[in-house]
Amino acid sequence: MKKIFITLAAAILTAGAASAQDMQQATDTYNNGAMALQTGDNAGALNYFKQALTMAEACGEEGTEMVGKCKDIIPNVELSIAKDLIKSEQYDEAVTQLGQAISSAKEYANADVEAEATELIPQVYMAQANSLLNAKNYDGAAAAYQKIIDSDPENGQAYLRLGAALSAGGKVAEAEAAFTSAMQKGQETQAVKQLSTMYLRLALSDLKAKKYEESVTHALKSNEYQESATAMQIAGQASTALGKNADALKYTESYIALSPNARNINDMYYTAAVLAQQLGENEKACGYYQKVTGDAKYGATAKQQIAALKCN
């Protein structure tokens, strides 16, 4: 019986020594992780801390403190790795890493890391989308902006940028829908400006391509969102090309009203005078001719027409 007791006692001592050795190994591994952090090797540090966690958990009650330290630091290191990926513009990898940080933070009850990582994900998508937009990868940018909207349907800035990407990619109807959503979500001023600019560009492109009906339609659409002298000038030129002088005069007069101090105002006065004369609106024609009598380019002709029309 005495022999058996001694054997059991020896076994207990051996187990205690093994446990102490395991804890020392866990501690050494944790310290290696801390050193790796100091040298900026976040990936290496994370690997050490995960190993230390497994070792400490195997030590039972003796490893409780070490387990707590590992669980506290692992989500933070994973978040740091994600931030490094963001800085290097490895956006897809950063999102994956942020997801891992969130998962660990939830498992280890680290609310601060969970909240910060969650907030960073749409910011990463925005940075990625902006980068794609700047690189003129419009489809890729639109897809990235859509990811933001899917996770945050009230993000007016994402709708605004989505509209810009779709517009640049020639998807006019989809762009208008995105800009309209942006207007409804706090971005009205910028969205209206973008819509007006989009249709103005289309109007000018149509004019150059001699698509005069489309040019007028798009110029008027631009003006609906934001009054623009340039839109009225384009509409006037396109209407003249179509032989619609009454419309051309109306749009030219709108230009004059919107931009009375324009550098080309005398050109517009003369155009209005000619159009009014062609329409038989002689009194109006006289008024516009009289405005350019002192102009070096139009003065002589204007005086001749004033005489011919017998203007007062």
Side-chain angles (χ1 to χ4, degrees):
M1 188 69 177
K2 183 176 180 181
K3 184 177 181 180
I4 293 174
F5 175 79
I6 292 172
T7 302
L8 289 173
I12 292 170
L13 289 172
T14 301
S19 177
Q21 185 177 13
D22 289 344
M23 270 307 303
Q24 185 59 54
Q25 187 177 4
T27 301
D28 290 343
T29 303
Y30 182 92
N31 289 336
N32 287 337
M35 290 177 63
L37 273 185
Q38 291 178 357
T39 62
D41 181 11
N42 289 335
L46 179 62
N47 187 47
Y48 280 125
F49 290 133
K50 286 184 175 180
Q51 290 181 40
L53 173 61
T54 301
M55 294 174 185
E57 286 176 331
C59 292
E61 187 175 346
E62 290 184 43
T64 300
E65 183 180 356
M66 178 65 69
V67 167
K69 289 181 178 180
C70 291
K71 288 184 175 181
D72 181 63
I73 200 167
I74 285 172
N76 282 284
V77 177
E78 289 176 337
L79 180 59
S80 294
I81 293 172
K83 289 179 178 179
D84 288 342
L85 290 168
I86 295 170
K87 289 179 182 177
S88 62
E89 298 185 1
Q90 295 175 263
Y91 298 118
D92 290 333
E93 294 85 346
V95 170
T96 299
Q97 185 61 43
L98 286 169
Q100 180 58 53
I102 291 169
S103 177
S104 295
K106 287 181 178 179
E107 181 179 356
Y108 302 148
N110 192 323
D112 290 340
V113 169
E114 181 182 354
E116 185 175 356
T118 300
E119 289 176 2
L120 276 174
I121 288 177
Q123 295 177 34
V124 172
Y125 281 136
M126 184 67 81
Q128 180 183 37
N130 290 342
S131 178
L132 291 167
L133 184 60
N134 291 335
K136 297 184 179 180
N137 183 346
Y138 303 124
D139 288 342
Y145 289 126
Q146 188 60 57
K147 287 180 182 178
I148 302 170
I149 293 167
D150 290 343
S151 62
D152 181 10
E154 297 303 311
N155 193 322
Q157 186 66 222
Y159 274 111
L160 189 66
R161 298 294 181 86
L162 173 61
L166 292 168
S167 175
K171 298 179 180 179
V172 177
E174 295 92 330
E176 183 170 15
F179 285 133
T180 300
S181 294
M183 290 169 61
Q184 296 166 350
K185 299 180 189 302
Q187 299 293 327
E188 183 173 0
T189 300
Q190 284 299 316
V192 166
K193 183 178 179 180
Q194 292 274 11
L195 280 163
S196 180
T197 299
M198 178 177 73
Y199 281 111
L200 186 63
R201 287 173 179 166
L202 286 171
L204 182 58
S205 177
D206 290 334
L207 183 65
K208 290 178 178 179
K210 298 183 179 181
K211 298 178 182 178
Y212 300 122
E213 292 284 1
E214 293 91 334
S215 181
V216 172
T217 298
H218 288 142
L220 295 181
K221 188 77 171 178
S222 172
N223 208 59
E224 285 178 15
Y225 285 110
Q226 191 172 68
E227 284 192 325
S228 164
T230 303
M232 291 297 93
Q233 183 178 11
I234 292 171
Q237 292 174 344
S239 295
T240 298
L242 291 167
K244 296 181 178 181
N245 290 348
D247 287 344
L249 177 58
K250 178 176 66 176
Y251 300 138
T252 301
E253 290 185 309
S254 293
Y255 178 98
I256 292 168
L258 287 167
S259 190
N261 298 314
R263 294 175 62 182
N264 68 335
I265 194 64
N266 283 348
D267 294 331
M268 304 308 291
Y269 284 147
Y270 185 79
T271 298
V274 171
L275 289 168
Q277 186 175 3
Q278 290 173 347
L279 291 166
E281 298 184 30
N282 292 345
E283 184 176 350
K284 181 177 287 188
C286 286
Y288 284 121
Y289 280 131
Q290 287 168 350
K291 290 180 179 293
V292 294
T293 54
D295 185 82
K297 182 178 180 181
Y298 301 116
T301 303
K303 290 175 183 177
Q304 291 174 1
Q305 294 303 318
I306 287 171
L309 293 170
K310 298 179 181 180
C311 300
N312 295 327

